[in-house]
Amino acid sequence: MSAPLFNRVALVGLGLIGSSIAHAARANGVAKEIVGTARSDKTRARVKELGFLDQVMETAAEAVAGADLVIICVPVCASEAVAREIGPHLSPGAIVTDVGSVKSSVVAQVEPHIPDGCTFIAGHPVAGTEHSGPDAGFAELFEGRWCILTPAAKATPEATDRLREFWSTLGSNVDIMDPEHHDLVLAITSHIPHLIAYNIVGTVADLETDTRSEVIKYSASGFRDFTRIAASDPAMWRDVFLSNKEAVLEMLGRFSEDLSGLQRAIRRGDGEALEKMFTRTRDIRRNIIDAGQETERADFGRGLSGSSKKD
Ligand code: NAP
């Protein structure tokens, strides 16, 4: 058997993503030892009970000491404080990465705190569920999903290759992008869909009680998938919109224009325009299924671990 890729992997943040990495890394034998820490006593105590780490440390500074791979798994806007704390305690040669859903902001927050001799390579596993916390994690989360790495110019090819191999071992396909491009692409494929879900579910929440009960009763007809997305962690998504403001606003502008086009077609009774648009969108769904990123099966949000994988 070949030696594990890393001696000690340290996870800072042990929610859905941190705990899933621990389960997956363990299942695939990619590290000799996996340690970690979380902000609250409650989460640290729960992780000890769940037993998916070799050691649970009190602080991030303690967790990263002696680690050759450090993975920051906290909400995007908390990245700077974590980086500031761990910077002085990193081992020479350590690779530091993260899993945040926005990349330019994380690079700006973390990079200044990484000492010479260590390498920071920002990353984003495009995989998730609407659940959060250390109980939500599972080893298969990253299988067949993309992980995007955004290495800075000074990141060595060797470090990038090792991190790529780490994610491949966890089952992901790895892509390399620059952070700005990542943020623009994810704004439309992930951030705007979440915003739409939060908005539509919020609109329903504001409706009169009678109508609302009808909406819940007949929710299978599309609304239910929105509620699953809109049940995602509020702090995580607050940070995504605060830190990817420009790309989200740019894409939201395009979305609003297209929505106005649909509104006009409905008002004018332009069935041809509506049908043309709906045929194009059906093709996109087909392409996603063909790319292996979705199945034909209509699971209405009841997939792995009681939820559907999403990003
Ligand atoms: P989560 O389940 O809510 O876990 C967040 C973890 O971060 C917890 O351990 C929490 O500690 C800790 N934390 C929260 N606020 C903190 C702060 N201000 N300072 C230090 N630690 C803090 O979240 P998650 O879903 O794993 O998300 C983690 C990261 O992954 C985010 O950056 C998110 O953008 C990214 N991501 C998420 C998904 C997804 O679908 N959820 C997918 C891809 C990437 P306590 O438990 O002690 O509070």
Side-chain angles (χ1 to χ4, degrees):
M1 217 176 89
S2 57
L5 199 54
F6 290 97
N7 277 320
R8 179 188 267 208
V9 172
L11 300 163
V12 180
L14 298 169
L16 168 72
I17 302 296
S19 64
S20 293
I21 292 174
H23 286 295
R26 206 171 228 209
N28 292 293
V30 77
K32 253 190 212 155
E33 193 185 16
I34 308 165
V35 304
T37 190
R39 171 181 58 166
S40 66
D41 295 342
K42 190 174 160 220
T43 299
R44 291 195 303 272
R46 183 62 186 144
V47 171
K48 283 182 190 162
E49 275 170 22
L50 292 167
F52 59 73
L53 290 184
D54 295 305
Q55 282 188 71
V56 180
M57 273 80 165
E58 292 285 302
T59 65
E62 285 172 74
V64 304
D68 46 354
L69 176 64
V70 172
I71 311 181
I72 302 172
C73 308
V74 300
V76 169
C77 295
S79 309
E80 213 247 319
V82 168
R84 186 182 304 127
E85 181 185 345
I86 65 174
H89 303 276
L90 291 168
S91 290
I95 297 173
V96 181
T97 186
D98 80 302
V99 296
S101 307
V102 179
K103 296 277 55 92
S104 308
S105 160
V106 169
V107 171
Q109 291 180 63
V110 175
E111 199 125 78
H113 301 284
I114 303 299
D116 288 344
C118 295
T119 307
F120 176 62
I121 301 170
H124 177 202
V126 187
T129 75
E130 68 278 25
H131 300 301
S132 43
D135 286 271
F138 56 102
E140 302 79 15
L141 179 64
F142 309 108
E143 283 176 8
R145 308 310 302 267
W146 285 97
C147 180
I148 299 169
L149 303 180
T150 66
K154 65 180 183 187
T156 62
E158 293 75 28
T160 306
D161 285 349
R162 262 182 102 194
L163 191 58
R164 176 195 280 274
E165 200 176 336
F166 175 82
W167 281 108
S168 300
T169 310
L170 267 50
S172 293
N173 307 310
V174 180
D175 223 349
I176 306 282
M177 259 181 215
D178 67 62
E180 294 74 25
H181 188 62
H182 166 280
D183 292 350
L184 204 60
V185 172
L186 270 291
I188 194 64
T189 58
S190 171
H191 307 166
I192 299 284
H194 277 79
L195 196 70
I196 293 166
Y198 281 123
N199 190 51
I200 195 165
V201 178
T203 303
V204 168
D206 291 340
L207 288 175
E208 293 302 315
T209 316
D210 283 357
T211 325
R212 203 157 67 211
S213 67
E214 299 289 273
V215 168
I216 288 165
K217 189 169 158 191
Y218 297 115
S219 63
S221 55
F223 181 66
R224 190 156 65 182
D225 274 359
F226 282 117
T227 62
R228 182 175 62 75
I229 297 173
S232 300
D233 188 66
M236 170 193 153
W237 283 97
R238 173 203 62 204
D239 283 11
V240 167
F241 292 112
L242 292 178
S243 54
N244 199 22
K245 185 171 156 181
E246 272 159 33
V248 167
L249 291 177
E250 156 73 17
M251 289 300 172
L252 203 52
R254 291 176 187 228
F255 173 82
S256 304
E257 279 174 30
D258 293 341
L259 188 63
S260 299
L262 285 175
Q263 201 174 354
R264 192 175 54 240
I266 293 169
R267 193 178 56 248
R268 291 181 177 168
D270 186 350
E272 200 183 322
L274 293 173
E275 199 178 334
K276 205 166 149 194
M277 161 77 157
F278 301 160
T279 305
R280 269 178 58 212
T281 57
R282 200 178 210 192
D283 290 346
I284 288 181
R285 165 103 186 144
R286 168 57 44 211
N287 292 343
I288 291 171
I289 292 169
D290 290 349
Q293 294 296 302
E294 174 64 301
T295 59
E296 294 271 18
R297 184 172 51 96
D299 71 354
F300 299 105
R302 294 184 297 274
L304 271 167
S305 285
S307 59
S308 213
K309 286 203 230 176
K310 67 177 185 66
D311 52 310

